[in-house]
Amino acid sequence: MHLSLDQINDAIQFRGTNGSYDVAIASTDEQEGLSPMEMAALSVVGCSSIDLLTILEKQKQDIEDFNADIDGERADDSPRVFTDLHMHYEFSGDVDPEKVRRAINLSLDKYCSVSNMVDQTATITFAFTVNGERYEQGE
């Protein structure tokens, strides 16, 4: 894997690229782009979502729509790592909630390399909704 970073202007703002796709990286809320910590959180939910959809597709689940959110809490002191991340996945379609729960657990415990890195400092929790019915992690 090779990535590169170029300063956009005289501000502390960058363009990151893998050679095919670019992302704007911001150092303040006033700049366009994502902060590095926002990208890290988005990477956790993105990685696990790829796993979920792949696993559920193999299990012949008919997913009509999917989206996911992540909320994070950070330590007060530097380096201000994530201490808690909570993901919520939402599915609609002919989807078995128990298969969703197993797929999430497989992703977070085994397959998602990003969540397995981040869980060294953060507690990662989840909930999910299937066709409007919400399920919590421990149910």
Side-chain angles (χ1 to χ4, degrees):
M1 172 188 329
H2 177 78
L3 306 168
S4 64
L5 187 74
D6 295 309
Q7 190 169 9
I8 292 175
N9 50 40
D10 59 355
I12 301 174
Q13 186 176 16
F14 306 97
R15 178 181 58 86
T17 185
N18 66 358
S20 299
Y21 301 99
D22 296 346
V23 63
I25 304 168
S27 64
T28 69
D29 291 339
E30 292 79 37
Q31 295 174 338
E32 288 186 23
L34 298 173
S35 75
M37 290 303 282
E38 288 170 332
M39 288 192 299
L42 197 57
S43 294
V44 172
V45 73
C47 178
S48 67
S49 294
I50 291 168
D51 292 340
L52 295 181
L53 295 179
T54 302
I55 292 166
L56 293 171
E57 180 181 284
K58 289 178 182 176
Q59 294 178 349
K60 308 287 191 232
Q61 298 299 290
D62 184 21
I63 299 167
E64 295 173 7
D65 194 36
F66 170 82
N67 64 63
D69 297 311
I70 188 165
D71 293 300
E73 297 291 327
R74 294 176 64 188
D76 292 330
D77 297 322
S78 290
R80 301 214 50 230
V81 297
F82 284 118
T83 56
D84 294 282
L85 290 170
H86 181 76
M87 293 182 282
H88 181 251
Y89 307 93
E90 191 167 348
F91 299 85
S92 63
D94 188 12
V95 183
D96 180 344
E98 284 311 307
K99 288 186 178 186
V100 170
R101 182 182 308 282
R102 283 192 300 272
I104 294 170
N105 284 322
L106 275 171
S107 172
L108 297 180
D109 294 341
K110 183 175 182 179
Y111 295 117
C112 179
S113 53
V114 182
S115 68
N116 279 276
M117 271 192 315
V118 172
D119 77 357
Q120 302 301 305
T121 63
T123 300
I124 300 175
T125 58
F126 68 86
F128 63 96
T129 301
V130 176
N131 298 320
E133 187 169 345
R134 185 176 172 105
Y135 300 86
E136 298 297 328
Q137 181 172 355
E139 294 178 342

